[in-house]
């Protein structure tokens, strides 16, 4: 009887291990990838985060793919732009299919794009249509109407049309838009299958029983908080070049934990590396990669209710002190960005302004070089004296009834010590928070509280305005500075500080409607100058990507915007 019980137990254990392994065959080419945080959604039209975007980039495909800066055919085998730049025609490939074997057509793009624009669907990325210049898209995406007939009419006026029985997609633009074709590689513009619901933030896309995709991989398993499995999509038009049969994706958001698993051979790819390990890896490892990113790490002030803020409902939260421009400037000027980037030691670029390197203007000059001095920020400790002066002015303005400046400073420091800086779980975010906390104490004499939250909760905290100051970060979605500055307009889902400036938004509108590159960039330069004068955020550094990739993985690539791509990757079996 005891032997029988042991046999049953052994068989149960084997069954459990097989289930965890996803039932892969021993000859399958298996790749172990740490995705990071558990994505909020895998629905291309609803996603708004890089973790979900990386998965989507490998399960779905847009009209084009962008790899290492090169725009390549995707669902469209070719395209052409009219001489006046106002009509873009995409030719859908004959062998474009969904993972269920049905055809992908231009109709799928028309339907999916309008789904992403539709205010009734509350997509986080509906704002991006303002920057496509697609005829009628801004009016539809930005409509405040709750009348279905009105919204349906606006949808009908959008300049996207399927022709030739779904073989051709014709897009009409209101102005020439140099970045339009490359932008079509971004996940928001990827199609979703007919009937894809927005319920539960596109819960269908996380359900292997319901998920249908058109990219190199399809979803086969999903376990909340733990990970997912992707399998090769045999219906994908370029399936012959897909060298991986099974991807085990893990949701490990602690870089130290992921690093330990990588070193133990349990992971083949990790998207971030503990800061303490970076100096050694830069010297000794040929599996360590550093890539520049078009984006900025920053601190949000909560400006709801301020003169330069919107009307976001933040309940009883008192944002009065953040409304003071001198205080915002004092906190910005008292940070030594050189010291922070040296501590992180991964090649990040200290930020004097909001726009990172890599955006060329109409004269072929880098926007970064021409805008980095739009404020008094210097990247080292050279602005400390100006920070102290601004802090004293803020104290006098905020506490006019105090006996003198010294008394006002006591009150200001006491109030600041009731405030908190929020950041999400990460060794790097913690390190930056502690460095800034120390600099503010050393230079201005107060200790702000630090609050760490898991990613999902932190996203809600920022969106709801339930913070005093909070970590921010943005990577552009297209090769133009408007993809950075545009998030700080009212109505944008990523305007976390709730910044509100009619002068700033007027320049953003001028940039969008400009018919010449010179007018476009002149408006963006003016917008950036206004933005930095108001200081709704504190720029800290411009991003770099650090990752560890097994030398056994070949054929992988990444977008200049940061998304990873395994569509033509393969991996050798471990020894």
């Amino acid at each position: 009887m005891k032997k029988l019980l042991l046999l049953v137990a052994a068989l149960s254990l084997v069954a459990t291990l097989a289930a965890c392994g996803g039932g892969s065959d021993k000859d399958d080419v298996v790749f172990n990838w740490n995705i990071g945080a558990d994505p909020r959604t895998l629905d291309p039209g609803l996603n708004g985060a890089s973790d979900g975007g990386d998965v989507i980039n490998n399960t779905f495909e847009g009209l084009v793919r962008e790899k290492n800066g090169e725009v390549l055919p995707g669902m469209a085998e070719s395209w052409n732009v009219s001489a006046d730049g106002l009509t873009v025609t995409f030719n859908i490939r004959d062998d474009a299919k969904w993972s269920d074997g049905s055809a992908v057509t231009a109709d799928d793009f028309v339907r999916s794009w309008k789904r992403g624009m539709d205010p009734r669907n509350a997509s986080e990325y509906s704002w991006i249509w303002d920057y496509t210049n697609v005829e009628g898209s801004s009016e539809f995406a930005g409509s405040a109407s709750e009348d279905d007939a009105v919204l349906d009419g606006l949808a009908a006026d959008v300049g996207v049309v399927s022709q030739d029985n779904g073989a051709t997609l014709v897009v009409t633009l209101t102005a020439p838009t140099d970045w339009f074709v490359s932008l079509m590689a971004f996940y928001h513009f990827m199609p979703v299958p007919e009937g894809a619901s927005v319920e539960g933030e596109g819960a269908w896309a996380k359900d292997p029983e319901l998920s249908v995709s058109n990219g190199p991989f399809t979803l086969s398993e999903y376990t909340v908080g733990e990970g997912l499995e992707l399998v090769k999509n045999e219906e994908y038009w370029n399936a012959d070049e897909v060298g991986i049969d099974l991807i085990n994706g893990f949701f490990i958001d602690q870089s130290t934990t992921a690093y330990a698993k990588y070193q133990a051979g349990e992971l083949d790819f990790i998207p971030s590396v503990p800061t303490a390990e970076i100096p050694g890896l830069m010297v000794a490892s040929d599996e360590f990669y550093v890539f520049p990113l078009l984006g900025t790490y920053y601190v949000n002030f909560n400006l709801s209710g301020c003169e330069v803020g919107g009307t976001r409902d933040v309940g009883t939260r008192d944002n009065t002190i953040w409304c003071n421009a001198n205080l915002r400037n004092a906190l910005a000027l008292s940070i030594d960005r050189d010291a922070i980037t040296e501590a992180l030691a991964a090649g990040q670029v200290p930020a004097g302004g909001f726009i990172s390197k890599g955006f060329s203007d109409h004269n072929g000059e880098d926007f970064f070089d021409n805008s980095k001095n739009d404020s008094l920020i210097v990247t080292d400790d050279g602005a400390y004296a100006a920070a102290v002066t601004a802090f004293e002015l803020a104290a006098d303005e905020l506490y006019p009834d105090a006996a003198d400046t010294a008394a006002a400073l006591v009150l200001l420091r006491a109030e600041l010590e009731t405030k908190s800086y929020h950041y999400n779980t990460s060794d790097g975010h913690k390190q930056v928070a502690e460095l800034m906390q120390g600099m503010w104490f050393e230079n201005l004499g107060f200790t702000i509280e630090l609050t760490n939250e898991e990613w999902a909760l932190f996203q809600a905290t920022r969106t709801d305005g339930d913070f005093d100051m909070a970590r921010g970060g943005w990577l552009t979605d297209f090769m133009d500075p408007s993809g950075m500055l545009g998030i700080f307009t009212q109505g944008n889902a990523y305007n976390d500080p709730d910044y509100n400036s009619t002068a700033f938004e007027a320049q953003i509108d001028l940039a969008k409607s400009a018919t010449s590159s010179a007018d476009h960039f002149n408006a963006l330069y003016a917008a950036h100058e206004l933005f930095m004068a108001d200081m709704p955020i504190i720029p800290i550094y411009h991003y770099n990507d650090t990752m560890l990739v097994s030398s056994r993985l070949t054929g992988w690539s990444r977008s200049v915007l940061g998304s990873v791509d395994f569509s033509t990757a393969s991996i050798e079996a471990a020894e």
Side-chain angles (χ1 to χ4, degrees), residues 58-81:
N58 289 283
T59 51
F60 290 85
E61 183 167 271
L63 294 163
V64 299
R65 276 192 175 270
E66 185 260 293
K67 296 184 177 185
N68 306 318
E70 183 180 4
V71 178
L72 303 168
M75 290 290 103
E77 62 183 355
S78 62
W79 56 88
N80 60 77
V81 181

Side-chain angles (χ1 to χ4, degrees), residues 301-305 309-315 319 461-467 490 495-499:
F301 291 108
N302 192 336
L303 300 178
S304 296
T311 58
R312 175 175 57 191
D313 183 4
V314 293
N319 289 333
T461 294
R462 284 194 307 194
T463 301
D464 296 342
D466 190 18
F467 66 90
Q490 280 293 297
N495 185 5
D496 294 321
D498 197 19
Y499 178 55

